[in-house]
Amino acid sequence: MAEAVPGAPAGSKSEQAYALIKARIVEGTYSPGHRLVLARIAGDLGVSVVPIREAIRRLEAEGLVTFERNIGATVAGIDPTEYLYTMQTLSIIEGAATALSSPLLGAADIARARGVNEQLRACLKDFDPVRFTRLNQEFHSVLFEHCPNPHILDLVHRGWNRLASLRSSTFRFVPGRATESVDEHEALLRLIESQADADAIEKAARLHRSATLDAYLAQSSAADSS
Amino acid sequence: MAEAVPGAPAGSKSEQAYALIKARIVEGTYSPGHRLVLARIAGDLGVSVVPIREAIRRLEAEGLVTFERNIGATVAGIDPTEYLYTMQTLSIIEGAATALSSPLLGAADIARARGVNEQLRACLKDFDPVRFTRLNQEFHSVLFEHCPNPHILDLVHRGWNRLASLRSSTFRFVPGRATESVDEHEALLRLIESQADADAIEKAARLHRSATLDAYLAQSSAADSS
DNA sequence: CTCCTAAACTTCGTATACGATTTCGTACAT
DNA sequence: ATGTACGAAATCGTATACGAAGTTTAGGAG
């Protein structure tokens, strides 16, 4: 039971590579279109190419990278319509996850979500997009983390990852939506508190995200014509 | 531009292995719980273990197999609750796919779907579960194949694959549902023809699958208590 | 100056070999 | 008879090496 190096992360090298590359894509170190050369990454991590190949294949199956024979791997998501499709998919999945999770939310969860939302509201002045995004994710995480269906939960997390990887390059926030967003959060919380039926909660959660998408598209088209 | 072997399938060996293992899982050659030994599969296909590892990793990311360090890979889905979760997820995704696709369906598509449904109706006597399942899949494929969002389409197909892999071991059909199912198909077609709003179509498509799930659960619990 | 051709370079693809870890069977002691 | 310890077999994990395919670039002909 000898540990190799005390400070080293656990798991096989292929898993370490998978986690690291994924993190770099999500956090934006590797932007969409970035070319992932196997030998180069292997050299950076001090391992062989075989574990890197495995990691890339897994990321490919998750939709974070594209991989072509004899061409190489690139971080996916250059196409701007990708953003639309990802947001649309996430709105559907997240809406369902929230609806399935809502009956299992206790008063403590509601209170916690409301607390996060108040931090969001306080964040409206001295607006910090990064902080706002993080708090927003935390708010929604509280809402759907009790979802009993692991597949749906997994899809939500994949959607968030994919969204983060896309936004890292095209990071144009919509400040005008922020205020509305916080209000919609409060409305959603009240809907859950009142134990509204699942359809209503699902629809509200889905529309909340769709509205963000619409605002983004409106801003994009405005930016294009300017 | 020399082809290796004329009869050989295209693509790298890792892709061939991926497609073959996936096909075997979906068609039931490898049942849930079946242990996938890397060296054994490599020997069967006449290749080394490296491409097999890649294939297994991709299938793991798709949820078809589980892979543990120093333990090995097994076909996923032993747990009966897996069936419930998969069906629930698929009902959500498929409902959304059908709703997004329906505005784009032409008269020819409707006619084709109706033709398939009539074959399903004719199939009700001399009931053949395999044929019924195949026709049922074809019917729904017509309905959601025009879905413009590739992510959602991909998730539907993954759901179908996963469902097939689960059913291959637990193949207990619900004959009582078959007649209702055909009628619901017709109702769904009329809803699409009348250009009902997307919400109504989505709800109908989702409920259609949920009803099948409920019937399955009822049958299962009845079988358990007998 | 442009277009075509070929060679060199880059990068992926996989076989082989060896090390690490787990599991299973067997023998021994209690 | 049962529990434990030890060893052998099976299996995964990865480094290395070589081969195949694609891309780029240099050179020459028109």
Side-chain angles (χ1 to χ4, degrees), chain A residues 55-162:
Chain A
I56 296 282
R57 284 300 199 189
R58 287 212 272 172
L59 293 168
E60 182 197 19
E62 289 184 22
L64 283 174
V65 311
T66 60
F67 197 34
E68 255 181 302
R69 177 188 176 84
N70 293 324
I71 301 294
T74 58
V75 178
I78 316 141
D79 191 343
T81 64
E82 271 298 315
Y83 187 82
L84 189 152
Y85 289 141
T86 302
M87 282 287 274
Q88 187 179 49
T89 307
L90 187 55
S91 76
I92 291 162
I93 298 291
E94 204 177 59
T98 304
L100 288 171
S101 182
S102 61
L104 305 174
L105 289 175
D109 299 308
I110 302 284
R112 188 178 150 215
R114 184 162 275 137
V116 174
N117 200 39
E118 287 312 310
Q119 290 185 58
L120 274 168
R121 194 181 298 281
C123 188
L124 287 178
K125 36 181 167 289
D126 292 336
F127 189 71
D128 176 4
V130 175
R131 180 173 156 79
F132 192 90
T133 300
R134 189 168 50 73
L135 285 171
N136 187 53
Q137 176 159 4
E138 189 180 343
F139 174 84
H140 286 286
S141 292
V142 174
L143 291 195
F144 59 63
E145 71 186 353
H146 285 83
C147 176
N149 188 326
H151 296 334
I152 293 176
L153 214 44
D154 181 56
L155 291 179
V156 175
H157 288 134
R158 289 193 184 188
W160 275 100
N161 284 339
R162 184 140 180 65

Side-chain angles (χ1 to χ4, degrees), chain B residues 59-124:
Chain B
L59 292 168
E60 182 197 19
E62 290 184 20
L64 282 173
V65 312
T66 61
F67 196 36
E68 256 180 303
R69 176 189 173 83
N70 290 325
I71 301 293
T74 57
V75 178
I78 316 139
D79 191 342
T81 64
E82 270 299 314
Y83 188 82
L84 189 153
Y85 289 140
T86 302
M87 284 287 274
Q88 187 179 48
T89 307
L90 187 56
S91 76
I92 291 161
I93 298 291
E94 204 177 58
T98 304
L100 288 172
S101 182
S102 59
L104 304 173
L105 289 175
D109 299 309
I110 303 285
R112 188 176 150 218
R114 185 162 274 136
V116 174
N117 199 39
E118 288 313 310
Q119 289 184 59
L120 274 169
R121 194 181 296 282
C123 188
L124 287 177

Side-chain angles (χ1 to χ4, degrees), chain B residues 12-13 15-16 19 45 50 60-61 64-65 71 83 85 110 120 124-125 129 137 140 153-154 163 205 209 225-226:
Chain B
S12 65
K13 293 184 182 178
E15 282 166 36
Q16 293 175 31
L45 304 192
V50 179
E60 182 197 19
L64 282 173
V65 312
I71 301 293
Y83 188 82
Y85 289 140
I110 303 285
L120 274 169
L124 287 177
K125 36 181 166 289
Q137 175 158 5
H140 285 287
L153 214 44
D154 182 55
L163 197 60
R209 182 162 289 281
S225 61
S226 69

